[in-house]
Amino acid sequence: MSMRIFLAVLLLCASAPGRAAEIRVRSGRARARLIELFSSEGCSSCPPADAWVSSLRGKPGLWSAFVPVAFHVTYWDDLGWPDRLADKAFTARQRAYAASWGEGTTYTPGFVLDGAQWRGWGAEPPEAGGPAGVLEARESGGALTARFSPAKEDGPYVMHAARLGFGVDSKVAAGENAGRTLRHDFVALALAEATMKRGKKDWTVELTLPAAVARAPREGLAVWVTGRGGRVAQAAGGGGP
């Protein structure tokens, strides 16, 4: 490889937006609450919800008391504006929630707090829960390793991981939000899950995040663990803001 080509490759790697070489996250012992937003750029009711999620960047307790994740769904894509942040896996996640609640329909904006429908968004974010144990994870190049040391055993556990994007702007040219520029933070770019393995004192897992649905100026990571009945046992996150 010539020196000119080598320098060009080096510059390209250095200028790739948002991709940190490695992200490490670690929870405290108190349970961080998982806030999920199901949204779409094709929905005129969603920008206020998106803006509220973005406002959480400056709130005390971010990552330690609450972990936000915004999933963009696909079922608005046929109504004039295909959302580049939407993914079928995110839509399937919302529909699985609706089925578990005995509902046959999904809607946006839709908030979920620790796996339950939540109408309290728009005010202050929730405070941390009781003792839960420590969750820590390390992600590099899509490869993630994690460890969970529960305060009280409630396994088996499933690890969930989402790559997050921050400062993602979209100039919407059609649909209900035509003419608007929308900004997204804590937006899911990729999602993966895997069953954890039990050790002598803790639970561990290795998984691979799929390719991101879009690029972002800054990226972060959210991880959470669910136990029996799909209950959120602990969450952690970092990066981005």
Side-chain angles (χ1 to χ4, degrees):
M1 178 184 293
S2 70
M3 181 58 69
R4 180 177 295 179
I5 295 175
F6 173 77
L7 291 174
V9 172
L10 188 63
L11 178 62
L12 178 62
C13 293
S15 62
R19 288 299 293 122
E22 180 178 277
I23 299 178
R24 291 177 179 263
V25 300
R26 190 177 191 273
S27 73
R29 295 189 178 279
R31 181 167 63 87
R33 315 292 298 278
L34 178 66
I35 301 173
E36 297 175 73
L37 165 63
F38 291 93
S39 182
S40 172
E41 289 186 342
C43 165
S44 62
S45 300
C46 288
D50 294 326
W52 181 78
V53 169
S54 289
S55 75
L56 299 179
R57 291 177 302 166
K59 294 291 186 180
L62 175 63
W63 306 134
S64 59
F66 58 89
V67 175
V69 183
F71 293 104
H72 282 226
V73 296
T74 57
Y75 50 81
W76 283 88
D77 285 3
D78 294 333
L79 300 181
W81 180 252
D83 189 339
R84 65 192 175 96
L85 300 170
D87 191 272
K88 292 180 179 179
F90 308 157
T91 303
R93 181 173 181 83
Q94 187 185 26
R95 287 174 174 163
Y97 270 137
S100 70
W101 301 330
E103 296 188 1
T105 59
T106 53
Y107 58 89
T108 56
F111 278 90
V112 179
L113 178 63
D114 293 337
Q117 286 180 296
W118 189 46
R119 309 284 186 182
W121 71 275
E124 291 300 307
E127 297 180 354
V134 176
L135 171 62
E136 52 189 329
R138 178 175 64 87
E139 185 268 336
S140 178
L144 182 141
T145 60
R147 182 183 305 273
F148 179 47
S149 303
K152 182 180 179 181
E153 195 63 55
D154 191 33
Y157 294 102
V158 176
M159 164 64 66
H160 310 260
R163 187 184 308 286
L164 304 180
F166 296 83
V168 180
D169 291 334
S170 292
K171 294 182 179 180
V172 181
E176 293 188 356
N177 289 313
R180 303 184 65 169
T181 297
L182 305 180
R183 165 154 290 199
H184 308 290
D185 298 291
F186 304 101
V187 63
L189 304 177
L191 177 67
E193 65 178 48
T195 301
M196 305 188 80
K197 296 179 180 179
R198 185 173 187 175
K200 292 183 178 180
K201 295 183 178 180
D202 47 29
W203 296 72
T204 62
V205 73
E206 296 181 1
L207 59 82
T208 300
L209 283 166
V213 297
R215 303 181 75 180
R218 300 179 303 281
E219 291 188 359
L221 178 70
V223 295
W224 60 99
V225 173
T226 53
R228 295 176 185 174
R231 292 186 292 271
V232 177
Q234 184 59 294

